[in-house]
Amino acid sequence: MTNHIPSPSWLDDALEFCIVKTRHNLATLTDFPERTEGGQWIQIAPEQHGWWVGGHWVGLLWLAYAASGDPALSAAAHTWAGRLLPQLNDQSDHDLGFLFELGFVLGYRLTGDESLKPSALQAASILSRRFNPRGQFIQAWGSLDASPELRGRTIMDTMMNLDLLFWAAKETGNSYYAEIAAAHARTTLIHHLRADGSTSHVCDFDPETGAFIKQGTHQGLSATSCWSRGQAWGVYGFADCYRATGDPIFLNASRRLMVYLWPRLPADLVPFWDYDSPLIPNDVRDSSAASVLAAGLLSLAAVENDPNLASIWQNRAISILEALWKTYTSLKSGEACLLLHGTRSKPHNLMDHGLIYGDYYFVEALMRLSKPKLSL
Ligand code: GLY
């Protein structure tokens, strides 16, 4: 239930900046961008076919097309989307949702081009094979015959891969896709979500019996901490699940994650990389957690059934976007990314850089504000 809130005065300038920079990147990139170092994109090796982030680059091109109407951008999005296709032959990851929802479904939604649908449906079918019926979860990493540790692992990020399954259920009429997506979301709610509304990045299960073993982390501080990008994936992903299923447990989950995180944001509303870092306030931020959160809040506002809360989610998204636009973009410094100060993974010593997914969700959120009638 999105309420009418006047567009912020800076919105057009922010979008224009993003489109100009995206055109520049398009002219200079030879492979998919992932993060920046020294202000330039680190590009993904061609044999990785975009790794898990290729869809974000293609999605950015689709959004730039939708914002500008320039057919050269939609042609470029088509070409880059084609470079993701070899990932349909590599079935060792859950990220087919990020890749094919943003690379293909988004393009279909924005252009009506039916030729984009079959690859996305194939991706959904491959993703569905990762469902473990005993544990009622989608395996995050590794092939289906990987070690028991990998076969029993779930991560918060998978919440963002469920929408591809909900979409495929509608397109094909095969409700199995929606059932396993909702089942995975329920498992995430039960085991990742803690009483205080925080989430663990990882959960481990016994892949044979489905029994829950423990919470853990991969990119956060610890098994008991709350990794800020994972929490943002959850706000967004649970809102999507509510939209797809109408089940209020998912709306409440998204709200609960917000109740936890909002008082823990610093004054400029851009989260530190982990809400439990003992180094706060002298620690690195993750601007991508902020942009994912802003996009997720606008998605939550659109489905929220309480009009007061819908306004709150919308206003908070706008405040985060304003902070990102005014103090976190490369407008003055000229780096190749849109947003500075992202953190891919502090435990892996990758921080304080641009991130292509941070950029994608920044533009997605701006577009949700600028063109609320677009189907994103
Ligand atoms: N999905 C991987 C990440 O958020 O870093």
Side-chain angles (χ1 to χ4, degrees):
M1 177 192 291
T2 309
N3 297 316
H4 180 72
I5 293 179
S7 288
S9 56
W10 44 266
L11 183 58
D12 289 347
D13 288 347
L15 266 173
E16 181 58 21
F17 160 75
C18 294
I19 294 166
V20 168
K21 178 119 343 193
T22 300
R23 283 186 197 280
H24 176 78
N25 285 329
L26 180 60
T28 51
L29 286 166
T30 52
D31 283 295
F32 287 99
E34 193 255 328
R35 67 181 193 282
T36 54
E37 264 180 35
Q40 299 306 314
W41 285 114
I42 302 290
Q43 298 181 50
I44 293 168
E47 62 274 17
Q48 287 187 280
H49 310 293
W51 190 37
W52 78 274
V53 303
H56 296 96
W57 169 237
V58 181
L60 203 44
L61 294 172
W62 288 127
L63 293 177
Y65 161 69
S68 65
D70 179 356
L73 286 166
S74 96
H78 262 286
T79 304
W80 280 89
R83 294 175 65 170
L84 299 175
L85 289 173
Q87 295 226 32
L88 292 172
N89 304 319
D90 170 14
Q91 308 181 3
S92 61
D93 207 280
H94 68 131
D95 284 322
L96 289 164
F98 281 117
L99 290 163
F100 284 82
E101 186 180 24
L102 302 182
F104 288 78
V105 179
L106 179 64
Y108 164 61
R109 285 179 176 145
L110 293 176
T111 65
D113 180 351
E114 298 264 338
S115 75
L116 292 162
K117 276 172 32 175
S119 303
L121 289 174
Q122 198 185 338
S125 166
I126 296 168
L127 179 58
S128 72
R129 293 183 211 144
R130 304 184 70 76
F131 184 68
N132 179 322
R134 294 169 297 280
Q136 298 284 295
F137 62 78
I138 290 170
Q139 176 186 332
W141 295 319
S143 60
L144 299 183
D145 59 359
S147 65
E149 191 187 19
L150 284 177
R151 283 190 291 118
R153 183 152 290 179
T154 59
I155 61 174
M156 275 311 288
D157 322 33
T158 305
M159 289 302 301
M160 295 296 283
N161 289 322
L162 303 181
D163 214 40
L164 179 72
L165 296 171
F166 287 125
W167 173 80
K170 269 200 189 148
E171 283 292 326
T172 61
N174 181 351
S175 60
Y176 178 70
Y177 291 125
E179 284 157 20
I180 62 171
H184 178 89
R186 277 193 294 275
T187 301
T188 304
L189 199 163
I190 293 166
H191 294 292
H192 283 256
L193 188 47
R194 307 182 183 113
D196 63 359
S198 68
T199 52
S200 68
H201 182 203
V202 168
C203 278
D204 286 323
F205 297 82
D206 179 325
E208 310 307 337
T209 65
F212 171 73
I213 300 172
K214 63 178 178 0
Q215 294 190 339
T217 198
H218 180 67
Q219 283 154 274
L221 179 74
S222 73
T224 55
S225 78
C226 183
W227 175 52
S228 61
R229 192 162 62 251
Q231 188 81 357
W233 292 141
V235 170
Y236 196 148
F238 280 120
D240 274 355
C241 285
Y242 176 60
R243 197 200 57 242
T245 63
D247 187 335
I249 63 166
F250 298 133
L251 176 62
N252 281 330
S254 193
R255 290 171 175 169
R256 280 177 59 201
L257 267 64
M258 278 306 295
V259 168
Y260 169 83
L261 77 82
W262 193 254
R264 288 171 173 80
L265 293 181
D268 70 4
L269 306 179
V270 175
F272 291 94
W273 71 284
D274 190 297
Y275 289 107
D276 293 299
S277 164
L279 300 181
I280 292 172
N282 301 311
D283 206 349
V284 287
R285 306 300 185 93
D286 180 13
S287 58
S288 76
S291 64
V292 172
L293 185 59
L297 277 170
L298 292 172
S299 194
L300 176 60
V303 295
E304 177 59 73
N305 54 28
D306 175 331
N308 291 329
L309 282 177
S311 291
I312 289 172
W313 308 141
Q314 234 176 318
N315 283 323
R316 287 181 179 179
I318 292 170
S319 301
I320 294 169
L321 290 170
E322 183 169 8
L324 289 173
W325 167 240
K326 297 212 163 137
T327 41
Y328 283 79
T329 68
S330 61
L331 184 62
K332 295 204 178 91
S333 56
E335 277 98 328
C337 53
L338 302 173
L339 292 183
L340 310 173
H341 309 307
T343 292
R344 171 170 146 187
S345 179
K346 191 171 181 203
H348 301 90
N349 211 23
L350 291 165
M351 57 200 147
D352 205 12
H353 40 210
L355 288 166
I356 191 63
Y357 34 97
D359 287 3
Y360 169 80
Y361 290 102
F362 181 54
V363 179
E364 182 192 295
L366 294 176
M367 286 294 280
R368 281 179 185 274
L369 281 182
S370 168
K371 297 193 191 304
K373 292 211 165 65
L374 272 188
S375 163
L376 296 179

